[in-house]
Amino acid sequence: MDMGSNWAAVDEYLVGKLIGDADPLADVLAANAAAGLPAIDVSPVQGKLLHLLANAARARRILEVGTLGGYSTIWLAQALPADGKLVTLEIERRHAEVARGNFNRTGVADKIELRLGPALDTLNALAAEESAPFDFVFIDADKQHNADYVQAAIGLARPGALIVVDNVVREGRVLDEQSQDSAVQGTRRLFDMLANEPRLDATGIQTVGVKKWDGFIVAIVR
Ligand code: SAH
Ligand code: DHB
Ligand code: MG
C-alpha cells in the first residue's frame, strides 16, 4: 500500500476514533459549502488541536486573524470558559455573514466579537484600545502579511501566550526562494523575522492529512 496517498484516509480514522463520526461542526462546513465559501478551513483534527492548545494554555482571551465561515473560530471558542472572549478578524463581508450565522447556530455567538476590515487596520485599532492582552492567537488570513500579523500579535499578547500560524509549509513551496507567489514570499519573510525575534520562542511542525502537506508555526511569547 502506498501510505503517502492515504493521508486523508488516516485523517478520517483519527476523526472516527478521537472526535466522533458526528463531528459537531459538520453543520458549519455544510453551511459554508452552501454559501459558496472556499473549503480552506482547518481540518477537523487541526481544529481539535487548536481547541486542545487553547485549553492547555487556559486561554480566556483568544484572537484570530482570518475567520472565513468560523470553523476554526468555533473550535477555539468552545475551549473558552463561560466568561471567555474571542475576537476574530475578517475582511470579506460575505464570509463574516456566514460566520455569524454559524456562531448563532452553534451557541457561541455571545463569546465572539467579529471585526470586519483589513486585519492590519483592525489589529491597529485593537492595539489603540489597550484592552486586556490575549492568551492565544491563531493567524490564518492572507499569507503575505504574516510577519506583520505576528508582530501585532506579540504586542497584543501576554508573556506566555501561544501564537499559532497556519499554512507555513504549503507542500514544500516555502523552500522556493525565487517564488513569485506572494503567499510564499510572505511566509519566508515570516520565518526570516522569527529567526531574529528574541521575544518569541518558536517551532515549526509539518502536517499531512486532508489538507495535504502543510504545517504550523507554534510560538510562545517570552
Ligand atoms: N481560519 C479559518 C480559515 C480562514 S481562510 C478556518 O480555519 O476555518 C482565510 C480568511 O482570511 C478568508 O476568509 C479571507 O477573506 C480572510 N482574509 C484575507 N485577507 C484578509 C485581510 N487582509 N484581513 C482580514 N482577513 C483577511
Ligand atoms: C488557503 C488558505 C488557507 O488558510 C488554508 O488553510 C488553505 C488554503 C488558500 O488560500 O489557498
Ligand atoms: Mg489556513
Side-chain angles (χ1 to χ4, degrees):
M1 181 160 62
D2 171 5
M3 301 306 284
S5 64
N6 268 340
W7 297 336
V10 173
D11 254 11
E12 280 174 36
Y13 176 78
L14 298 176
V15 169
K17 292 294 179 188
L18 305 176
I19 300 181
D21 285 323
D23 173 359
L25 296 185
D27 289 352
V28 171
L29 296 181
N32 292 353
L37 267 49
I40 57 174
D41 338 70
V42 294
S43 71
V45 293
Q46 291 171 346
K48 184 146 186 199
L49 174 66
L50 294 173
H51 175 94
L52 293 172
L53 289 173
N55 259 334
R58 302 273 186 270
R60 308 181 71 81
R61 286 178 54 82
I62 297 176
L63 173 64
E64 177 180 67
V65 186
T67 316
L68 190 64
Y71 182 77
S72 56
T73 321
I74 295 165
W75 270 114
L76 285 166
Q78 289 178 342
L80 285 169
D83 61 346
K85 184 168 179 199
L86 188 156
V87 178
T88 185
L89 311 179
E90 174 57 52
I91 196 170
E92 294 285 344
R93 186 174 299 275
R94 178 81 190 117
H95 297 180
E97 281 170 10
V98 175
R100 285 200 175 100
N102 286 328
F103 300 156
N104 287 328
R105 264 180 287 110
T106 50
V108 293
D110 58 336
K111 290 180 183 171
I112 298 175
E113 180 185 340
L114 193 160
R115 295 195 180 196
L116 190 64
L120 290 177
D121 295 350
T122 46
L123 286 165
N124 269 331
L126 276 171
E129 288 166 23
E130 295 183 36
S131 45
F134 291 96
D135 310 301
F136 188 101
V137 184
F138 179 50
I139 298 174
D140 188 23
D142 56 316
K143 314 309 174 192
Q144 58 265 43
H145 290 126
N146 267 343
D148 306 293
Y149 296 155
V150 170
Q151 284 296 315
I154 295 170
L156 290 167
R158 68 163 166 82
L162 265 175
I163 300 176
V164 178
V165 187
D166 195 20
N167 310 118
V168 300
V169 174
R170 300 313 284 274
E171 304 196 72
R173 289 194 293 279
V174 66
L175 295 183
D176 183 2
E177 291 177 42
Q178 310 301 330
S179 176
Q180 298 303 302
D181 180 344
S182 62
V184 173
Q185 290 172 358
T187 301
R188 290 182 60 84
R189 211 175 308 126
L190 170 60
F191 279 108
D192 290 344
M193 184 269 274
L194 289 173
N196 294 291
E197 178 46 84
R199 294 174 297 172
L200 287 182
D201 198 9
T203 191
I205 188 82
Q206 301 187 65
T207 58
V208 295
V210 291
K211 297 202 68 183
K212 302 191 183 156
W213 174 26
D214 212 325
F216 295 109
I217 285 166
V218 179
I220 290 183
V221 180
R222 292 190 202 270

